[in-house]
Amino acid sequence: MHVFARFQETLKKRPLHVTLLDPDPKKLADLEYKIKALEKFGTDGFLIGGSTSVNQNFLDETIKKIKSVSSLPVILFPGGTNGISGRADAIVFMSLLNSRDPFFISGVQAKGALYVKKLGIEVIPMGYIIIEPGMKVGEVGKADLIKRNDVQRAVGYALAAEYIGMKLLYVEAGSGAPEPVPTAMISEIKKHVSIPLIVGGGIRKPEQALALLKAGADIIDTGTITEENFAAIEGIIKAVRNYRK
Ligand code: 1GP
């Protein structure tokens, strides 16, 4: 079964947790240990992201290493065309809907589309919207950041994603954000949108993940915590896995 279909099946029963990993040479040393532990804790898959400076060989190497120790799906979450690898199971083919630059809405996608097709990996169309503070991705993607209290604007972009035909919606505060996206914004989005909703950026505690799930998030994504405080990740993953609506 394809990754997205499998995720949809699981979502009928419980929310999902995904772990964002940066294909960075400095982080490869303890990757095997971390992957095994994350799988044991119950994460549902790996998103492979990283900045625009991702090295192709290194990306392949990272995915190869993950695949050698885990059976979980590996999904590309690319920052540009160099974040694409045929070793992954799938790619979230995303459009940064609230970018001021058309390059990030459809330009970079046009540059990479044929390559993705040739690789034959599963494509998951995803709307991506960035909320304040947006951090590095907001800057690089030239996001016209949605203010944390501008719930209506967030709902507009979220619903637009669904009407455009996206299969998945990612609401992002930016990696390393001091606080996650406000729960009031997530609950309002959830009232209007029916495609699965991933929330990420600044999630460091189980309580934050639980509050976002309660507000309506379907998938929780954490990245920084895996690098900065690995001891905390088990609690977050288990909280997500055990949550029931
Ligand atoms: C990045 O939102 C994700 O796209 C993960 O954010 O690194 O803050 O967990 P963190």
Side-chain angles (χ1 to χ4, degrees), residues 152 155 158-159 162-163 187-195:
Q152 285 317 305
V155 169
L159 194 54
E162 179 165 329
Y163 287 167
S187 56
E188 201 56 30
I189 288 174
K190 196 61 188 179
K191 268 189 217 161
H192 297 279
V193 171
S194 60
I195 53 176

Side-chain angles (χ1 to χ4, degrees), residues 20 47 77 128 137 170-177 199-204 221-226:
L20 177 74
L47 290 186
F77 179 69
Y128 189 47
V137 71
Y170 194 124
V171 183
E172 165 84 276
S175 184
V199 182
I203 301 167
R204 295 178 178 82
D221 176 23
T222 57
T224 307
I225 198 81
T226 305

Side-chain angles (χ1 to χ4, degrees), residues 101-147:
D101 186 342
F103 181 73
F104 296 103
I105 303 170
S106 61
V108 69
Q109 294 78 356
K111 264 180 88 177
L114 200 53
Y115 181 46
V116 169
K117 181 164 192 181
K118 281 184 184 148
L119 292 176
I121 56 178
E122 178 185 347
V123 174
I124 307 169
M126 184 176 88
Y128 189 47
I129 62 177
I130 306 184
I131 316 301
E132 276 181 341
M135 310 305 282
K136 184 86 188 279
V137 71
E139 232 176 87
V140 174
K142 299 184 189 163
D144 181 8
L145 296 175
I146 298 173
K147 294 201 181 308

